[in-house]
Amino acid sequence: MKFDIARQPLVPAFLTLAALTVVAMWGAGGSDAAPAALAGNIAGRSASDAVAIALPGDLLAQFQSAHPAWSRWIAGLLMLFTGMSVGRLTVRYNLYTVGTCLAIPLYGAIACGLAGDSDFLTLFTASALLALALKNFCRSFCNGFGFDAIFRASFYTGLLPLVCVAATPLLILLPLAVMLFRRTLREVTVAIAGLLLPVLALCYVNWGAGGEFTAPVTLLANTFITGRPLSLFLSTPIESLVLLGAVFILDLMALLFFLSDIYAVGTKPRFIFIFNISILLLVAAVLCGPAAPPGVIALTAVPSAVLLPFMFVRIHRAIALPLYLLLLASAVINTILQ
């Protein structure tokens, strides 16, 4: 029996993800790479002495600098968790009308190939938060009330800018989810509370430590606007940019396949795909922002892993297998070259 890569079962999908995780963590930077991430998260700290505590992004960078080996283990576990979460999402909602766990190794390939060697702990923490937000927003798309799911999704979305300042545009996910998934006013109120809870808690802790209450928000805003737009593309290695361009081309092809079959997809999968495409566009906006560090390009792995299997299950097996193997090889080679 021939093995169909597009209809990949769970065991080979997980083993591929595990192997890519080992490759990614083997090539990840050590203690000398973390200061770059630290500098990216605390830019402008000297201009705001009223901040008496370290932001979550700062703490992750400091931990990576002090414990590079433990950081690799934690980042590897986060990569495994995110890949399995994305794969479970696609299977649970039957997004491709066929049984496949292809999203799991695709996430691993894209994350492995695009992850930078500097702030990998911050990067994979942000990817895990984005995957959790996506999963819970999809859970909130139900006939009854989804207070718990939309609160969790908003809470994870609100944590994203605190971990990675460049991810601030992803806050727009909340109004997009409310409009696409048709949530009620009461659910919107709960969602706004979940979105604001992380930053309000951070402000309260900073105020209790002797700083100004609004100082963390001011620091985050100053950090986000510091730098030049599109500066990420000047500081990212050319091989990573080539792989990023290839991923976006594949995403465009998958989008065309989706648009051609949009009415053949069920109602819930259709709106989930539209929401996922919106996430991909927002991640592209994150990459063009002034505060984007090089490693943030790996955030594209989450929406791309959900979208790309839609193309793989519809193209011929003779094309799908070489394309899949080429993507895996490119990810491994790019990690080795970094």
Side-chain angles (χ1 to χ4, degrees):
M1 182 178 65
K2 293 183 179 180
F3 178 66
D4 189 359
I5 200 68
R7 289 158 177 80
Q8 193 167 151
L10 177 61
V11 174
F14 175 76
L15 293 178
T16 305
L17 174 64
L20 290 169
T21 301
V22 173
V23 173
M25 293 303 104
W26 186 272
S31 59
D32 57 339
L38 182 60
N41 281 287
I42 64 174
R45 172 62 59 86
S46 60
S48 181
D49 296 332
V51 179
I53 60 174
L55 302 184
D58 303 348
L59 295 176
L60 289 173
Q62 292 170 5
F63 182 85
Q64 180 180 327
S65 180
H67 308 284
W70 279 107
S71 298
R72 288 193 184 94
W73 279 101
I74 296 174
L77 292 176
L78 287 172
M79 185 174 174
L80 288 173
F81 170 78
T82 306
M84 295 302 294
S85 297
V86 171
R88 184 176 183 273
L89 168 72
T90 61
V91 173
R92 178 179 182 180
Y93 297 106
N94 193 25
L95 297 185
Y96 315 116
T97 66
V98 295
T100 178
C101 297
L102 186 59
I104 296 175
L106 285 179
Y107 168 80
I110 299 172
C112 174
L114 296 181
D117 60 350
S118 56
D119 49 353
F120 57 87
L121 183 57
T122 301
L123 162 69
F124 286 112
T125 302
S127 295
L129 290 174
L130 180 58
L132 287 171
L134 172 62
K135 181 185 75 172
N136 284 278
F137 274 129
C138 294
R139 281 184 55 210
S140 69
F141 188 23
C142 54
N143 293 328
F145 292 110
F147 292 110
D148 175 66
I150 201 167
F151 177 83
R152 290 171 182 265
S154 303
F155 180 77
Y156 295 133
T157 305
L159 279 175
L160 271 170
L162 305 184
V163 173
C164 180
V165 181
T168 302
L170 293 176
L171 295 177
I172 305 177
L173 289 178
L174 177 57
L176 285 174
V178 169
M179 291 186 296
L180 283 174
F181 300 151
R182 302 171 186 175
R183 295 299 87 200
T184 64
L185 183 60
R186 282 181 285 181
E187 289 172 301
V188 172
T189 304
V190 172
I192 293 175
L195 186 72
L196 297 179
L197 180 59
V199 68
L200 289 178
L202 184 67
C203 291
Y204 179 79
V205 173
N206 182 70
W207 174 68
E212 296 182 4
F213 185 81
T214 60
V217 178
T218 304
L219 176 60
L220 290 172
N222 292 336
T223 304
F224 180 73
I225 63 175
T226 300
R228 295 183 303 168
L230 305 177
S231 59
L232 176 142
F233 300 99
L234 300 177
S235 57
T236 303
I238 185 64
E239 57 270 13
S240 296
L241 292 179
V242 171
L243 182 58
L244 177 64
V247 170
F248 273 115
I249 291 175
L250 293 177
D251 286 332
L252 179 60
M253 295 174 60
L255 175 60
L256 295 177
F257 274 97
F258 169 70
L259 293 177
S260 64
D261 292 344
I262 187 170
Y263 294 108
V265 182
T267 301
K268 181 173 287 189
R270 184 190 313 155
F271 281 100
I272 290 176
F273 272 122
I274 294 174
F275 184 63
N276 185 76
I277 293 168
S278 303
I279 295 178
L280 185 63
L281 295 177
L282 288 175
V283 170
V286 168
L287 304 186
C288 298
V296 79
I297 61 176
L299 284 178
T300 58
V302 174
S304 296
V306 177
L307 183 60
L308 286 182
F310 196 91
M311 176 190 67
F312 275 94
V313 299
R314 282 163 174 77
I315 61 178
H316 195 273
R317 182 184 304 174
I319 302 175
L321 180 58
L323 188 61
Y324 174 77
L325 295 178
L326 180 61
L327 183 60
L328 293 184
S330 301
V332 174
I333 293 173
N334 190 46
T335 304
I336 295 174
L337 293 178
Q338 288 179 356

